[in-house]
PDB file of all heavy atoms in Angstrom:
ATOM      1  N   ARG X 147       2.179 -18.196 -25.511  1.00  0.00           N
ATOM      2  CA  ARG X 147       2.091 -18.670 -26.911  1.00  0.00           C
ATOM      3  C   ARG X 147       1.437 -17.619 -27.805  1.00  0.00           C
ATOM      4  O   ARG X 147       1.876 -17.379 -28.933  1.00  0.00           O
ATOM      5  CB  ARG X 147       1.277 -19.965 -26.965  1.00  0.00           C
ATOM      6  CG  ARG X 147       1.997 -21.135 -26.322  1.00  0.00           C
ATOM      7  CD  ARG X 147       1.032 -22.290 -26.091  1.00  0.00           C
ATOM      8  NE  ARG X 147       1.664 -23.354 -25.347  1.00  0.00           N
ATOM      9  CZ  ARG X 147       1.031 -24.201 -24.545  1.00  0.00           C
ATOM     10  NH1 ARG X 147      -0.279 -24.099 -24.376  1.00  0.00           N
ATOM     11  NH2 ARG X 147       1.691 -25.144 -23.910  1.00  0.00           N
ATOM     12  N   LEU X 148       0.366 -17.001 -27.301  1.00  0.00           N
ATOM     13  CA  LEU X 148      -0.328 -15.974 -28.097  1.00  0.00           C
ATOM     14  C   LEU X 148       0.609 -14.796 -28.352  1.00  0.00           C
ATOM     15  O   LEU X 148       0.702 -14.291 -29.481  1.00  0.00           O
ATOM     16  CB  LEU X 148      -1.590 -15.505 -27.364  1.00  0.00           C
ATOM     17  CG  LEU X 148      -2.725 -16.546 -27.287  1.00  0.00           C
ATOM     18  CD1 LEU X 148      -3.744 -16.174 -26.212  1.00  0.00           C
ATOM     19  CD2 LEU X 148      -3.421 -16.684 -28.639  1.00  0.00           C
ATOM     20  N   ALA X 149       1.336 -14.397 -27.300  1.00  0.00           N
ATOM     21  CA  ALA X 149       2.236 -13.240 -27.438  1.00  0.00           C
ATOM     22  C   ALA X 149       3.331 -13.543 -28.465  1.00  0.00           C
ATOM     23  O   ALA X 149       3.691 -12.677 -29.277  1.00  0.00           O
ATOM     24  CB  ALA X 149       2.854 -12.897 -26.086  1.00  0.00           C
ATOM     25  N   ARG X 150       3.862 -14.761 -28.454  1.00  0.00           N
ATOM     26  CA  ARG X 150       4.934 -15.120 -29.407  1.00  0.00           C
ATOM     27  C   ARG X 150       4.461 -15.000 -30.853  1.00  0.00           C
ATOM     28  O   ARG X 150       5.239 -14.734 -31.756  1.00  0.00           O
ATOM     29  CB  ARG X 150       5.441 -16.544 -29.139  1.00  0.00           C
ATOM     30  CG  ARG X 150       6.566 -16.559 -28.086  1.00  0.00           C
ATOM     31  CD  ARG X 150       7.302 -17.882 -28.057  1.00  0.00           C
ATOM     32  NE  ARG X 150       6.496 -18.953 -27.523  1.00  0.00           N
ATOM     33  CZ  ARG X 150       6.254 -19.142 -26.222  1.00  0.00           C
ATOM     34  NH1 ARG X 150       6.781 -18.328 -25.330  1.00  0.00           N
ATOM     35  NH2 ARG X 150       5.504 -20.140 -25.821  1.00  0.00           N
ATOM     36  N   LEU X 151       3.146 -15.227 -31.095  1.00  0.00           N
ATOM     37  CA  LEU X 151       2.615 -15.106 -32.463  1.00  0.00           C
ATOM     38  C   LEU X 151       2.069 -13.705 -32.728  1.00  0.00           C
ATOM     39  O   LEU X 151       1.479 -13.449 -33.781  1.00  0.00           O
ATOM     40  CB  LEU X 151       1.511 -16.133 -32.704  1.00  0.00           C
ATOM     41  CG  LEU X 151       1.938 -17.606 -32.764  1.00  0.00           C
ATOM     42  CD1 LEU X 151       0.730 -18.484 -33.080  1.00  0.00           C
ATOM     43  CD2 LEU X 151       3.014 -17.850 -33.803  1.00  0.00           C
ATOM     44  N   GLY X 152       2.231 -12.814 -31.744  1.00  0.00           N
ATOM     45  CA  GLY X 152       1.750 -11.432 -31.922  1.00  0.00           C
ATOM     46  C   GLY X 152       0.230 -11.326 -31.894  1.00  0.00           C
ATOM     47  O   GLY X 152      -0.341 -10.388 -32.457  1.00  0.00           O
ATOM     48  N   LEU X 153      -0.428 -12.286 -31.232  1.00  0.00           N
ATOM     49  CA  LEU X 153      -1.902 -12.269 -31.190  1.00  0.00           C
ATOM     50  C   LEU X 153      -2.374 -11.644 -29.887  1.00  0.00           C
ATOM     51  O   LEU X 153      -1.788 -11.903 -28.828  1.00  0.00           O
ATOM     52  CB  LEU X 153      -2.436 -13.698 -31.308  1.00  0.00           C
ATOM     53  CG  LEU X 153      -2.120 -14.370 -32.641  1.00  0.00           C
ATOM     54  CD1 LEU X 153      -2.358 -15.874 -32.561  1.00  0.00           C
ATOM     55  CD2 LEU X 153      -2.968 -13.750 -33.756  1.00  0.00           C
ATOM     56  N   VAL X 154      -3.423 -10.850 -29.957  1.00  0.00           N
ATOM     57  CA  VAL X 154      -3.906 -10.168 -28.760  1.00  0.00           C
ATOM     58  C   VAL X 154      -5.272 -10.729 -28.366  1.00  0.00           C
ATOM     59  O   VAL X 154      -6.269 -10.548 -29.073  1.00  0.00           O
ATOM     60  CB  VAL X 154      -4.012  -8.641 -28.993  1.00  0.00           C
ATOM     61  CG1 VAL X 154      -4.437  -7.948 -27.702  1.00  0.00           C
ATOM     62  CG2 VAL X 154      -2.675  -8.098 -29.484  1.00  0.00           C
ATOM     63  N   ALA X 155      -5.284 -11.462 -27.240  1.00  0.00           N
ATOM     64  CA  ALA X 155      -6.544 -11.933 -26.636  1.00  0.00           C
ATOM     65  C   ALA X 155      -6.382 -11.756 -25.141  1.00  0.00           C
ATOM     66  O   ALA X 155      -5.278 -11.908 -24.613  1.00  0.00           O
ATOM     67  CB  ALA X 155      -6.789 -13.392 -26.986  1.00  0.00           C
ATOM     68  N   GLU X 156      -7.474 -11.458 -24.470  1.00  0.00           N
ATOM     69  CA  GLU X 156      -7.401 -11.325 -23.012  1.00  0.00           C
ATOM     70  C   GLU X 156      -7.631 -12.708 -22.406  1.00  0.00           C
ATOM     71  O   GLU X 156      -8.716 -13.290 -22.581  1.00  0.00           O
ATOM     72  CB  GLU X 156      -8.482 -10.345 -22.526  1.00  0.00           C
ATOM     73  CG  GLU X 156      -8.361 -10.047 -21.045  1.00  0.00           C
ATOM     74  CD  GLU X 156      -9.443  -9.098 -20.530  1.00  0.00           C
ATOM     75  OE1 GLU X 156     -10.250  -8.611 -21.350  1.00  0.00           O
ATOM     76  OE2 GLU X 156      -9.470  -8.856 -19.319  1.00  0.00           O
ATOM     77  N   VAL X 157      -6.595 -13.256 -21.757  1.00  0.00           N
ATOM     78  CA  VAL X 157      -6.735 -14.594 -21.173  1.00  0.00           C
ATOM     79  C   VAL X 157      -6.844 -14.442 -19.661  1.00  0.00           C
ATOM     80  O   VAL X 157      -5.963 -13.881 -19.010  1.00  0.00           O
ATOM     81  CB  VAL X 157      -5.543 -15.499 -21.559  1.00  0.00           C
ATOM     82  CG1 VAL X 157      -5.757 -16.903 -21.003  1.00  0.00           C
ATOM     83  CG2 VAL X 157      -5.393 -15.554 -23.081  1.00  0.00           C
ATOM     84  N   VAL X 158      -7.968 -14.919 -19.123  1.00  0.00           N
ATOM     85  CA  VAL X 158      -8.316 -14.667 -17.726  1.00  0.00           C
ATOM     86  C   VAL X 158      -8.282 -15.960 -16.942  1.00  0.00           C
ATOM     87  O   VAL X 158      -8.777 -16.995 -17.410  1.00  0.00           O
ATOM     88  CB  VAL X 158      -9.755 -14.074 -17.656  1.00  0.00           C
ATOM     89  CG1 VAL X 158     -10.176 -13.825 -16.214  1.00  0.00           C
ATOM     90  CG2 VAL X 158      -9.860 -12.814 -18.484  1.00  0.00           C
ATOM     91  N   HIS X 159      -7.701 -15.916 -15.738  1.00  0.00           N
ATOM     92  CA  HIS X 159      -7.738 -17.069 -14.848  1.00  0.00           C
ATOM     93  C   HIS X 159      -8.983 -16.970 -13.979  1.00  0.00           C
ATOM     94  O   HIS X 159      -9.145 -16.003 -13.239  1.00  0.00           O
ATOM     95  CB  HIS X 159      -6.466 -17.104 -13.978  1.00  0.00           C
ATOM     96  CG  HIS X 159      -6.503 -18.217 -12.984  1.00  0.00           C
ATOM     97  ND1 HIS X 159      -6.104 -18.077 -11.689  1.00  0.00           N
ATOM     98  CD2 HIS X 159      -6.916 -19.500 -13.124  1.00  0.00           C
ATOM     99  CE1 HIS X 159      -6.273 -19.232 -11.057  1.00  0.00           C
ATOM    100  NE2 HIS X 159      -6.762 -20.101 -11.909  1.00  0.00           N
ATOM    101  N   GLY X 160      -9.877 -17.958 -14.075  1.00  0.00           N
ATOM    102  CA  GLY X 160     -11.091 -17.916 -13.265  1.00  0.00           C
ATOM    103  C   GLY X 160     -12.004 -19.074 -13.598  1.00  0.00           C
ATOM    104  O   GLY X 160     -11.712 -19.872 -14.493  1.00  0.00           O
ATOM    105  N   ASP X 161     -13.112 -19.142 -12.870  1.00  0.00           N
ATOM    106  CA  ASP X 161     -14.093 -20.195 -13.119  1.00  0.00           C
ATOM    107  C   ASP X 161     -15.057 -19.721 -14.192  1.00  0.00           C
ATOM    108  O   ASP X 161     -15.844 -18.797 -13.956  1.00  0.00           O
ATOM    109  CB  ASP X 161     -14.846 -20.511 -11.816  1.00  0.00           C
ATOM    110  CG  ASP X 161     -15.796 -21.687 -11.999  1.00  0.00           C
ATOM    111  OD1 ASP X 161     -16.001 -22.125 -13.154  1.00  0.00           O
ATOM    112  OD2 ASP X 161     -16.332 -22.170 -10.985  1.00  0.00           O
ATOM    113  N   GLY X 162     -14.994 -20.352 -15.331  1.00  0.00           N
ATOM    114  CA  GLY X 162     -15.821 -19.945 -16.470  1.00  0.00           C
ATOM    115  C   GLY X 162     -17.305 -20.150 -16.234  1.00  0.00           C
ATOM    116  O   GLY X 162     -18.122 -19.662 -17.014  1.00  0.00           O
ATOM    117  N   PHE X 163     -17.681 -20.864 -15.184  1.00  0.00           N
ATOM    118  CA  PHE X 163     -19.107 -21.053 -14.885  1.00  0.00           C
ATOM    119  C   PHE X 163     -19.775 -19.691 -14.678  1.00  0.00           C
ATOM    120  O   PHE X 163     -20.953 -19.526 -14.962  1.00  0.00           O
ATOM    121  CB  PHE X 163     -19.268 -21.932 -13.637  1.00  0.00           C
ATOM    122  CG  PHE X 163     -20.680 -22.349 -13.383  1.00  0.00           C
ATOM    123  CD1 PHE X 163     -21.281 -23.331 -14.165  1.00  0.00           C
ATOM    124  CD2 PHE X 163     -21.433 -21.760 -12.374  1.00  0.00           C
ATOM    125  CE1 PHE X 163     -22.601 -23.720 -13.937  1.00  0.00           C
ATOM    126  CE2 PHE X 163     -22.756 -22.146 -12.143  1.00  0.00           C
ATOM    127  CZ  PHE X 163     -23.329 -23.118 -12.928  1.00  0.00           C
ATOM    128  N   ALA X 164     -18.998 -18.725 -14.189  1.00  0.00           N
ATOM    129  CA  ALA X 164     -19.547 -17.379 -13.972  1.00  0.00           C
ATOM    130  C   ALA X 164     -19.430 -16.530 -15.236  1.00  0.00           C
ATOM    131  O   ALA X 164     -19.783 -15.348 -15.226  1.00  0.00           O
ATOM    132  CB  ALA X 164     -18.807 -16.709 -12.816  1.00  0.00           C
ATOM    133  N   GLY X 165     -18.924 -17.108 -16.330  1.00  0.00           N
ATOM    134  CA  GLY X 165     -18.658 -16.303 -17.524  1.00  0.00           C
ATOM    135  C   GLY X 165     -17.540 -15.317 -17.211  1.00  0.00           C
ATOM    136  O   GLY X 165     -16.639 -15.604 -16.406  1.00  0.00           O
ATOM    137  N   TYR X 166     -17.595 -14.151 -17.834  1.00  0.00           N
ATOM    138  CA  TYR X 166     -16.634 -13.093 -17.476  1.00  0.00           C
ATOM    139  C   TYR X 166     -17.336 -11.745 -17.669  1.00  0.00           C
ATOM    140  O   TYR X 166     -17.338 -11.169 -18.767  1.00  0.00           O
ATOM    141  CB  TYR X 166     -15.357 -13.206 -18.312  1.00  0.00           C
ATOM    142  CG  TYR X 166     -14.297 -12.224 -17.871  1.00  0.00           C
ATOM    143  CD1 TYR X 166     -13.753 -12.286 -16.588  1.00  0.00           C
ATOM    144  CD2 TYR X 166     -13.872 -11.212 -18.722  1.00  0.00           C
ATOM    145  CE1 TYR X 166     -12.804 -11.371 -16.161  1.00  0.00           C
ATOM    146  CE2 TYR X 166     -12.910 -10.292 -18.307  1.00  0.00           C
ATOM    147  CZ  TYR X 166     -12.392 -10.385 -17.030  1.00  0.00           C
ATOM    148  OH  TYR X 166     -11.455  -9.473 -16.596  1.00  0.00           O
ATOM    149  N   GLY X 167     -17.960 -11.294 -16.571  1.00  0.00           N
ATOM    150  CA  GLY X 167     -18.803 -10.093 -16.596  1.00  0.00           C
ATOM    151  C   GLY X 167     -18.107  -8.844 -17.109  1.00  0.00           C
ATOM    152  O   GLY X 167     -18.689  -8.096 -17.907  1.00  0.00           O
ATOM    153  N   PRO X 168     -16.835  -8.585 -16.672  1.00  0.00           N
ATOM    154  CA  PRO X 168     -16.205  -7.320 -17.074  1.00  0.00           C
ATOM    155  C   PRO X 168     -16.103  -7.128 -18.593  1.00  0.00           C
ATOM    156  O   PRO X 168     -16.032  -5.989 -19.057  1.00  0.00           O
ATOM    157  CB  PRO X 168     -14.803  -7.412 -16.441  1.00  0.00           C
ATOM    158  CG  PRO X 168     -14.991  -8.330 -15.269  1.00  0.00           C
ATOM    159  CD  PRO X 168     -16.034  -9.331 -15.688  1.00  0.00           C
ATOM    160  N   GLY X 169     -16.096  -8.227 -19.359  1.00  0.00           N
ATOM    161  CA  GLY X 169     -15.971  -8.066 -20.820  1.00  0.00           C
ATOM    162  C   GLY X 169     -17.316  -8.086 -21.537  1.00  0.00           C
ATOM    163  O   GLY X 169     -17.382  -7.920 -22.755  1.00  0.00           O
TER     164      GLY X 169
END
Side-chain angles (χ1 to χ4, degrees):
R147 291 166 186 151
L148 290 163
R150 273 194 290 282
L151 291 183
L153 296 166
V154 183
E156 186 181 356
V157 183
V158 179
H159 176 223
D161 185 350
F163 189 75
Y166 186 62

